[in-house]
Amino acid sequence: MKLSVWTYEGPPHVGALRVATAMKGLHYVLHAPQGDTYADLLFTMIERRNHRPPVTYTTFQARDLGADTANLFKTAAQAAYDRFQPQAMIVGASCTAELIQDDPGGMAEQMGLPCPVIALDLPSYQRKENFGADETLFQLVRNLARPMDRTGHVTANLIGPTALGFRHRDDITEVTALLEDMGISVNVCAPFNATPEDLTRLGASHFNVLMYPETGEAACRWMERELDQPFTKTVPIGVGATRDFIAEVAQITGQEPYLDDSRLRLPWYSASVDSTYLTGKRVFLFGDGTHVAAAARVARDEMGFEVVGLGCYNREMARPIRALAKDYGVEALITDDYLDVEQRIEELAPEMILGTQMERHIGKRLGIPCAVISAPVHVQDFPARYSPQMGIEGANVIFDTWVHPLVMGLEEHLLHMFRDDFEFHDDAGASHHGHKAKPAPQPEKAEEPQPANDNSSITWLDDAEKELKKIPFFVRGKARRNTETFAAERGMTQISLDTLYEAKAHYAR
Amino acid sequence: MTDDSAPLPAAGCRDAPVLKQRGQHEVFCGLTGIIWLHRKMQDAFFLVVGSRTCAHLLQSAAGVMIFAEPRFGTAILEETDLAGLADAQVELEREVARLLERRKDIRQLFLVGSCPSEVIKLDLARAAEKLSLQHAPHVRVLNYSGSGIETTFTEGEDACLASMVPVLPDTDERQLLVVGALPDVVEDQMLDLLSKMGIDNVKVLPARRADSTLAVGPNTSFILTQPFLGGTLAALGKRGARHIPAPFPFGEEGTTAWLRAVAMEFGVDITLFDTVTHAPRARAKKAISQASEKLDGKSVFFFPDSQLEIPLARFLTRECGMTAIEVGAPYIHKGVVGPDLDLLEEGPTLSEGQDVEMQLDRCRAAQPDLTVCGLGLANPLEAEGLATKWAIELVFTPVHFYEQAGDLAGLFSRPLNRRAKLRLEAAE
């Protein structure tokens, strides 16, 4: 057993639901107890879908346990077919049904329903939501896609976008435009808005664009093997990645590389003097592997930040993320326990967090600005406006989103110059955060909590401690850390005012 | 006692036939009760023994609350627990010990059963007994099931409160026990009204803290504030306490009838009762009439959710001028909602349980002016052109007693008001 409050991912059948809900003409019969229908509201509320997810729950109850649950499953499957007349069905068990061992796949096969019925085997006690989505799409593709003649002109499939995906809706539009500019059209986008019939046509395209490895990699690998379709390895998030993606597509297809960057603003915005203050901002990244890897490159190479830590919650991406962390000279954090993430953030004291909904809460608690780069996300990150992460417009969106939570350059100077100003005390917060400003705390208030660190053997002398407090709150964590590291490296046990300023000079940038 | 309420119906719904259907239930499981119970019981921790699904449900339902140092969590079962490789009792004891070590403020710990733990027959009752001994006297460990196979939504609160009843101390004192978790502000209003009638020895289950003076015995009379507390009613009966049947305190009429039942039980003078209730009754009526202008003459259709449906249908039809087409409840306990059924005019279909597809067919055919349903159905029905009131809000908002009567009517009129206000089409 493992005690948990937050989970970054739901159970695997929620992943299957994400695939089913993304598609049309597919129905999911889920052997599950009363109550598991809660998952419906992820789609109707968070994603604000205007229809019910295409899923029938068998809703067994305590009194059905025993022989009756099997009949319940058959009745539900038959009723679902009769009512919705889907082109194909997927059947499977949720965590509780997995324990009662009714074998939905076998039962559905016996029923001889007049449409393809695909059984899902999703181990609820080992795997999680992303695996569920990846495996479901893989099983659908494996059962439905067949080798066929390629289309006359060059086409691609878009693989991976699902329901409840972070910005999947708009990424599809953006990637479709990137390809069209190169004269490549989209054959099938799956699972988002695809029908089972569409999946039978997957084989007609010349190659696959793997948009999200978490939810599409197994399907792409199968198609590479069975349908002889290469797939792209670069996820086009950020300017550099988008250019690499275009080059990769050109190489696969033999088309001329072409990128219409007339609307691309990130490079100039980032180069303009207004952005100089972003240089070396210390950021911590956490989320799913794909978005973290992409964000790390944008952060370092396109925004000029310093990546002080990164990690992901999905073990499936642990290997590439560890390799990436090595490149960045930091230690990777692979965990699905948000307390570990919180502890790492506290240790690193970054100036900004790029993460998920959970990191936003952690940032709020620690007073560190945060922007969201990855699922899981709440309703506000399914925006009405066009806001992709991928491609040209994606880069523009990323620039705005990441800069917004930071204290602006001029404000930063003013805060520093007038640090004793009654309006610019620690609790006032950044002016644009919209919090009601709190009055300045009385002097000689309780000590602020010391961030946990390895340098606990070092003591701060009063003068130095006082001076440290004059440093604006959003850089104080870094100053404290740097000074302690500086002192530790020199074998000092006390930090005086001089040590503080020597450390400042040492780390000047 | 003066009574200027609407006339009693010629025939109520107590003996009306009930449509019972099996099929997909679009409802929450009892685990969701934890979301409001942990706010009410300030030194209690709710430890669900379940799967990732249970943790995911709580997180999705609790939203931002998860980051306000919540007093609930899930001990997620792993492969080794299922394969019998690990002794689940030992594992559980380890998790509990770690938790209590970190949270010294916890005085009551609830081990909450889930579908997986029930199906693999984890004996949480025995675990609770053992843990209670280990951690006595500082922490008391209790057990109940909030699983979907046994409980629907608010029944989780029932199971929780019922689990507390057998361990309450005995008392011979003459006292009133008010049962059901209410928001503090509502609870205080209720206590104030009772006190003005001279009923001062009033206890509330659940109490805000474990060290309250809550006790029960043969001279205890109890009244429910929530209709989903059938199990707790039975448990209190076993302790010799006496149930005061009454309509539920929704709206002006419901509150008056509820208070009157208590007044009768405790021999309160009629003049005193009228004096105490006169002003708040007038206030409530006025507030309802303002909020319910939009509701008058409109039809309403209830999908099953919380068992609040019958008392609320009674309130909406008798005090807001609505017509009920169908009143669906996950479970109908006539010993509890009988007085409300008596007041509900014959006519609407009463349904218990659910086949959601068939119920949706009936709803679409009836085209009600307002549909009360869960969040899984609300947006899809809105997209079909039906106005909805999502039902969870009725559990998460102060709605009981006189001062909230206007707010309660307002919850139902708001979606209709909004529809009237939005002008999303081009001008003709």
Side-chain angles (χ1 to χ4, degrees), chain B residues 45-373:
Chain B
F45 192 98
F46 295 82
L47 181 62
V48 178
V49 181
S51 64
R52 180 168 300 281
T53 310
C54 308
H56 195 235
L57 158 84
L58 283 177
Q59 153 175 344
S60 311
V64 292
M65 233 191 268
I66 297 258
F67 260 79
E69 276 298 321
R71 279 172 284 102
F72 58 81
T74 310
I76 296 185
L77 294 166
E78 291 169 330
E79 276 278 285
T80 49
D81 298 304
L82 301 177
L85 297 174
D87 184 340
Q89 298 284 354
V90 175
E91 291 269 308
L92 192 57
E93 280 171 34
R94 188 198 62 211
E95 284 304 320
V96 167
R98 262 177 48 188
L99 172 70
L100 293 178
E101 181 56 36
R102 234 187 30 229
R103 300 292 300 266
K104 300 284 188 200
D105 51 325
I106 302 303
R107 304 291 313 281
Q108 312 182 70
L109 177 70
F110 288 95
L111 298 181
V112 189
S114 65
C115 301
S117 74
E118 297 292 331
V119 167
I120 63 170
K121 301 205 169 15
L122 263 186
D123 192 349
L124 294 182
R126 201 167 68 96
E129 266 172 44
K130 252 180 107 182
L131 285 164
S132 248
L133 287 176
Q134 282 175 19
H135 297 281
H138 188 70
V139 186
R140 187 176 65 186
V141 185
L142 293 174
N143 146 257
Y144 73 89
S145 172
S147 75
I149 55 178
E150 291 156 305
T151 58
T152 307
F153 195 30
T154 48
E155 284 179 298
E157 176 176 331
D158 188 29
C160 174
L161 300 191
S163 78
M164 300 168 75
V165 172
V167 295
L168 288 179
D170 270 311
T171 180
D172 281 332
E173 244 184 288
R174 178 69 179 141
Q175 62 168 358
L176 175 67
L177 181 63
V178 181
V179 186
L182 294 178
D184 291 351
V185 52
V186 176
E187 193 177 300
D188 292 342
Q189 290 168 9
M190 182 252 317
L191 292 171
D192 181 54
L193 281 167
L194 292 172
S195 163
K196 282 181 179 152
M197 288 186 230
I199 306 172
D200 279 316
N201 197 5
V202 184
K203 300 284 159 52
V204 178
L205 177 71
R208 292 176 205 187
R209 308 197 71 85
D211 51 9
S212 75
T213 55
L214 211 56
V216 68
N219 286 319
T220 302
S221 291
F222 70 95
I223 186 162
L224 307 179
T225 56
Q226 301 279 24
F228 43 75
L229 297 173
T232 312
L233 182 146
L236 285 166
K238 275 190 198 150
R239 297 291 306 267
R242 216 172 99 90
H243 174 223
I244 309 171
F248 285 90
F250 298 118
E252 180 274 321
E253 186 188 42
T255 306
T256 305
W258 189 91
L259 286 170
R260 187 181 290 140
V262 177
M264 304 265 277
E265 175 78 9
F266 283 79
V268 175
D269 177 71
I270 291 170
T271 337
L272 176 61
F273 179 85
D274 284 341
T275 318
V276 172
T277 55
H278 179 75
R281 286 182 73 175
R283 259 202 314 273
K285 278 191 170 175
K286 190 168 163 223
I288 294 171
S289 70
Q290 281 165 354
S292 68
E293 262 170 40
K294 274 258 158 29
L295 298 176
D296 195 34
K298 299 284 194 327
S299 59
V300 61
F301 189 111
F302 281 90
F303 278 78
D305 194 53
S306 62
Q307 299 184 47
L308 292 169
E309 297 84 5
I310 288 170
L312 289 176
R314 183 262 301 156
F315 163 72
L316 289 175
T317 52
R318 289 181 58 80
E319 299 188 52
C320 303
M322 296 189 85
T323 319
I325 295 173
E326 174 163 339
V327 184
Y331 181 65
I332 300 178
H333 190 312
K334 289 205 173 159
V336 174
V337 291
D340 281 289
L341 285 171
D342 289 337
L343 288 172
L344 185 64
E345 180 122 38
E346 219 178 12
T349 305
L350 290 186
S351 63
E352 185 181 22
Q354 187 176 34
D355 178 324
V356 73
E357 299 296 350
M358 296 179 65
Q359 195 166 27
L360 280 167
D361 288 345
R362 293 199 297 279
C363 181
R364 287 176 186 126
Q367 289 290 306
D369 295 311
L370 188 65
T371 303
V372 184
C373 62

Side-chain angles (χ1 to χ4, degrees), chain A residues 251-298:
Chain A
Q251 199 243 325
I252 289 174
T253 59
Q255 308 279 106
E256 258 325 282
Y258 173 75
L259 179 67
D260 174 10
D261 55 10
S262 56
R263 291 173 299 108
L264 177 61
R265 296 181 197 96
L266 181 146
W268 165 240
Y269 269 50
S270 198
S272 74
V273 294
D274 204 49
S275 299
T276 313
Y277 80 106
L278 299 175
T279 316
K281 283 259 183 235
R282 306 170 72 255
V283 296
F284 176 82
L285 302 110
F286 198 81
D288 67 43
T290 299
H291 283 91
V292 164
R297 179 172 178 185
V298 176

